[in-house]
Amino acid sequence: MKFFVIEMNLFDDRLFAYTEQVDFETGEAPRCPECNDAVGQREWLPPYHIKLSKPSYGDFAYGSIAPFVVTERVVRLYSESGLKGIESFQPLEVVKVARKRNTSQEPPMYYQAIIPYGGSRTEINPTLSHIEYMSEPTCQFCKLGTIYKYQNVVIDEDTWDGIDVFKPIGLPGTIVVTERFRDFAELHGFTNLKLVPSTEYECPY
């Protein structure tokens, strides 16, 4: 199976708007059941209000909302596709669009994609991914360490469970998708979605 990484240019709105939470509160972060370390961002508590940086609306949008948000069209087509990995979609309310004076076009309905870390036990191969750590992982369940850099994302296919959208164990901030998802996205021509072959993806920091 070929794998791809979703390239998320978080606050780049040269083509399409990015998203930010508005007047939000947070709860607890998800915890590893083995070591109890945090394995993700704190839970976003309602109300789920967002703002957009400009009146240019992509099917996918990035920003401060992890991992990304999608339009109602993507939600509908994904639910009909048979693909697996996105646990649920949280509806969001757009309360502000910056620079909207020059257009009357209303934003679409957006949803946050919920993809839990550990929802798939698919792992990366840290050696073939050329990962360099500042601190090595100590927990064999979450396998979270402090990463200095990596050169690509090589999936350990022996651990892949057939899921199509996942956060690989060892790289919790990275969203990997399968060739099936790539074909699905191309079929429907989703905007603001760039998929990079996982073995060509470079560490963004």
Side-chain angles (χ1 to χ4, degrees):
M1 174 62 71
K2 293 181 180 178
F3 297 95
F4 300 81
V5 175
I6 297 181
E7 185 170 86
M8 294 180 282
N9 296 318
L10 299 185
F11 296 101
D12 179 356
D13 67 353
R14 286 173 292 180
L15 292 177
F16 298 99
Y18 61 76
T19 64
E20 293 182 275
Q21 295 136 313
V22 176
D23 298 326
F24 66 97
E25 295 185 3
T26 58
E28 296 298 319
R31 297 278 173 178
C32 171
E34 297 293 327
C35 68
N36 201 42
D37 280 352
V39 293
Q41 293 184 335
R42 290 177 177 270
E43 180 186 8
W44 180 13
L45 302 177
Y48 302 110
H49 292 165
I50 67 171
K51 62 181 179 181
L52 303 174
S53 66
K54 62 188 290 187
S56 179
Y57 314 121
D59 286 306
F60 281 68
Y62 316 98
S64 64
I65 303 170
F68 53 80
V69 304
V70 296
T71 60
E72 191 169 22
R73 173 174 176 259
V74 176
V75 174
R76 174 177 56 80
L77 292 171
Y78 181 88
S79 67
E80 297 170 352
S81 69
L83 297 172
K84 297 179 180 179
I86 299 178
E87 183 180 75
S88 60
F89 294 95
Q90 173 63 54
L92 310 173
E93 181 182 354
V94 178
V95 297
K96 180 180 179 180
V97 180
R99 294 175 271 171
K100 193 173 181 291
R101 291 189 299 270
N102 296 329
T103 179
S104 60
Q105 183 181 5
E106 293 299 319
M109 181 70 185
Y110 276 111
Y111 295 76
Q112 180 188 19
I114 307 299
I115 307 169
Y117 184 65
S120 169
R121 295 304 301 168
T122 304
E123 300 180 12
I124 58 167
N125 183 312
T127 301
L128 295 180
S129 299
H130 304 288
I131 294 181
E132 296 183 25
Y133 294 97
M134 289 188 287
S135 61
E136 295 277 346
T138 58
C139 176
Q140 291 305 303
F141 188 86
C142 65
K143 298 189 176 181
L144 291 182
T146 303
I147 295 174
Y148 172 62
K149 65 179 180 179
Y150 57 90
Q151 290 185 7
N152 47 37
V153 179
V154 178
I155 298 300
D156 182 351
E157 291 204 44
D158 289 339
T159 67
W160 178 54
D161 53 10
I163 210 162
D164 295 291
V165 186
F166 56 92
K167 298 177 182 179
I169 301 300
L171 282 179
T174 302
I175 305 299
V176 176
V177 302
T178 61
E179 189 174 12
R180 293 191 296 255
F181 184 94
R182 189 276 311 270
D183 293 345
F184 160 74
E186 289 185 350
L187 174 64
H188 298 292
F190 296 140
T191 55
N192 205 26
L193 174 64
K194 182 178 180 181
L195 300 177
V196 180
S198 62
T199 54
E200 299 175 14
Y201 184 74
E202 297 183 358
C203 175
Y205 47 83

